[in-house]
Amino acid sequence: TVFNSLNHDMTLTEFKFIWYMEYSHRMWGRVVGLAYILPAAYFWRKGWLSRPMKGCVLALCGLVCFQGLLGWYMVKSGLEEKPDSYDIPRVSQYRLAAHLGSALVLYSASLWTGLSLLLPPHKLPETHQLLRLRQFAHGTTALIFLTALSGAFVAGLDAGLVYNSFPKMGERWIPDDLLAFSPALRNIFENPTTVQFDHRILGIASFTAVTALYLFSRRIPLPRRTRMAVTSLLAVACMQ
């Protein structure tokens, strides 16, 4: 029914492209899982893992399996009939955000673990400025994570198609239908206009926070490695 009403002009070649995109994503996810689990089992059997590292490896491998389960749960939502989705098949934006969020956590934890093993920690004096910088960095991390999750809601609702002008949304700074849904809390997660508006605000806030973090770090004597990390963060924020 969906094919006849929406995609009746799709060619076999176009369908194969979509199918192979999904198939490749699933296969790549399974390769990632094997790249975690097989070496971990080998190193564990050889006795090369310390007790803390064993806990870390178990957590990472568990997160890999959980990520795959979330992916299946997300795709399953796209096969369910939704009378309020205007006959357009789409996955749940909530499950999409959960799938993306768990992937970001897995990637960040893997990177943190790898760098902790490869690079010895710096022994720096716990000054007031350094503590503030660390707190600022943690807050910026949380803000960036929230911005990425809001992007999943934009993708899940096709909210990026609602307004294509910036910085205004259409002719207004604050669109009329920002709080069109009732109760009001639904707008944050289900109203495409509100979702796009929130993502814009969070994106601007994240870029501002990264810039402020960089400027604040310039006032503190930091190791070269830390300065490179902060500078790279600013460069990636500008690129994004």
Side-chain angles (χ1 to χ4, degrees), residues 10-29:
M10 178 182 287
T11 65
L12 181 60
T13 301
E14 291 171 335
F15 173 78
K16 284 182 176 180
F17 175 77
I18 294 174
W19 190 90
Y20 279 116
M21 284 282 286
E22 172 66 16
Y23 181 76
S24 300
H25 180 68
R26 294 187 182 200
M27 292 301 106
W28 185 252

Side-chain angles (χ1 to χ4, degrees), residues 69-225:
L69 183 64
L70 265 181
W72 167 82
Y73 186 59
M74 177 193 71
V75 171
K76 183 175 180 291
S77 68
L79 304 176
E80 299 169 356
E81 293 289 340
K82 302 181 185 66
D84 58 342
S85 64
Y86 310 102
D87 295 325
I88 299 176
R90 65 172 80 250
V91 299
S92 164
Q93 68 271 27
Y94 297 99
R95 300 185 193 183
L96 178 61
H99 189 52
L100 175 63
S102 65
L104 290 174
V105 170
L106 174 60
Y107 176 78
S108 301
S110 302
L111 184 63
W112 183 276
T113 302
L115 291 178
S116 298
L117 292 172
L118 294 172
L119 304 174
H122 286 296
K123 300 296 183 181
L124 299 176
E126 293 291 331
T127 63
H128 178 67
Q129 282 187 317
L130 188 63
L131 290 174
R132 285 186 60 193
L133 178 67
R134 186 177 291 125
Q135 292 171 350
F136 197 175
H138 289 164
T140 302
T141 301
L143 183 59
I144 293 172
F145 182 74
L146 185 61
T147 304
L149 288 189
S150 74
F153 281 90
V154 172
L157 293 171
D158 285 335
L161 303 177
V162 181
Y163 292 97
N164 60 1
S165 56
F166 186 85
K168 290 185 177 181
M169 299 178 73
E171 298 298 322
R172 301 177 63 88
W173 289 101
I174 300 178
D176 293 329
D177 53 343
L178 190 68
L179 298 174
F181 290 14
S182 181
L185 188 61
R186 277 187 62 207
N187 290 280
I188 299 175
F189 305 105
E190 299 180 12
N191 183 342
T193 298
T194 311
V195 166
Q196 189 191 128
F197 180 80
D198 291 345
H199 187 59
R200 290 179 178 216
I201 298 301
L202 286 168
I204 294 170
S206 293
F207 180 77
T208 303
V210 170
T211 304
L213 179 67
Y214 171 79
L215 294 175
F216 182 64
S217 71
R218 303 294 294 177
R219 299 162 49 189
I220 306 173
L222 295 171
R224 179 173 176 271
R225 197 169 73 200

Side-chain angles (χ1 to χ4, degrees), residues 55-72:
C56 186
V57 164
L58 282 176
L60 288 173
C61 289
L63 197 53
V64 167
C65 297
F66 178 69
Q67 173 69 5
L69 183 64
L70 265 181
W72 167 82

